[in-house]
């Protein structure tokens, strides 16, 4: 019995990394391709960082959104603005500890000024920043603020 439990524990530990959320490092060109999709899915893209307290506070709202909108054409993408050098030390452990299920990418661009205006001309660079868009409906909205649950739901409902 004791060896069975040890074997089971080893199997579970071995399986955990495979089940952990992956964090892909991307360049802005990759993100830009995603931001230009023209289909009937509503995309919710949240720019955040592990060091940004308001960002960390609102991340559960986006996770909840994935659950409450399951079955609808809504996709959440969480874009970490942490340094790429922090991927293994901070970002991956953070994502694992928080149990984030939405897709997480780390934007590896050293100069924010090279992409801010391309995401939204009004974006000052402050985070949290959220972009919601639906290519087929030709609707797009951006928000440079922390959402409350009611505010996020209201904004998403405008796209559905």
């Amino acid at each position: 019995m004791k060896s069975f439990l040890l074997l089971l524990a080893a199997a579970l530990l071995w399986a955990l990394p495979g089940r952990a959320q992956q964090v892909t490092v991307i360049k802005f060109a990759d993100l830009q391709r995603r931001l230009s999709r023209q289909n009937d899915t509503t995309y919710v893209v949240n720019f955040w960082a592990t060091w940004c307290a308001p960002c960390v506070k609102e991340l559960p709202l986006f996770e909840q959104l994935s659950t409450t909108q399951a079955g609808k054409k809504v996709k959440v993408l969480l874009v970490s603005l942490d340094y790429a050098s922090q991927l293994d030390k901070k970002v991956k452990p953070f994502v694992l500890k928080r149990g984030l299920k939405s897709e997480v990418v780390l934007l590896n661009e050293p100069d924010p000024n090279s992409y801010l205006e391309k995401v939204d001309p009004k974006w000052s660079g402050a985070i949290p920043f959220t972009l919601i868009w639906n290519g087929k409906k030709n609707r797009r909205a951006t928000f440079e603020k922390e959402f409350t649950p009611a505010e996020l739901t209201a904004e998403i409902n405008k796209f559905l």
Side-chain angles (χ1 to χ4, degrees), residues 121-154:
K122 295 180 287 181
W123 187 11
S124 74
I127 52 175
F129 181 84
T130 302
L131 165 66
I132 305 171
W133 98 97
N134 184 303
K136 190 172 183 178
K137 293 180 180 177
N138 200 24
R139 293 198 64 184
R140 177 184 168 99
T142 58
F143 307 90
E144 193 175 75
K145 66 175 201 164
E146 177 185 343
F147 278 107
T148 65
E151 289 171 336
L152 183 58
T153 299

Side-chain angles (χ1 to χ4, degrees), residues 11-157:
L12 288 173
L13 287 173
W14 183 74
L16 280 178
R19 294 180 39 174
Q21 166 68 285
Q22 299 296 312
V23 179
T24 305
V25 177
I26 65 171
K27 299 299 277 184
F28 182 72
D30 299 324
L31 181 61
Q32 200 167 28
R33 276 191 289 279
R34 289 172 176 235
L35 297 179
S36 61
R37 290 180 181 159
Q38 298 295 319
N39 57 39
D40 60 350
T41 298
T42 296
Y43 294 93
V44 181
V45 181
N46 177 254
F47 294 81
W48 65 284
T50 57
W51 46 263
C52 169
C55 302
V56 171
K57 183 180 171 189
E58 76 172 354
L59 281 175
L61 298 180
F62 294 101
E63 288 297 294
Q64 186 177 17
L65 183 67
S66 291
T67 303
T68 59
Q69 299 298 325
K72 297 179 183 174
K73 292 192 172 193
V74 175
K75 178 165 176 48
V76 174
L77 177 64
L78 302 174
V79 180
S80 169
L81 298 181
D82 289 273
Y83 291 117
S85 62
Q86 300 296 310
L87 177 67
D88 291 328
K89 282 192 229 171
K90 287 191 174 180
V91 179
K92 285 182 176 177
F94 179 91
V95 168
L96 182 63
K97 181 179 177 183
R98 301 281 175 153
L100 300 180
K101 303 287 186 238
S102 300
E103 182 180 5
V104 179
V105 296
L106 187 147
L107 183 59
N108 183 18
E109 290 292 345
D111 181 11
N113 292 319
S114 68
Y115 63 84
L116 291 177
E117 189 167 305
K118 293 173 185 171
V119 173
D120 187 275
K122 295 180 287 181
W123 187 11
S124 74
I127 52 175
F129 181 84
T130 302
L131 165 66
I132 305 171
W133 98 97
N134 184 303
K136 190 172 183 178
K137 293 180 180 177
N138 200 24
R139 293 198 64 184
R140 177 184 168 99
T142 58
F143 307 90
E144 193 175 75
K145 66 175 201 164
E146 177 185 343
F147 278 107
T148 65
E151 289 171 336
L152 183 58
T153 299
E155 292 301 333
I156 296 300
N157 286 338

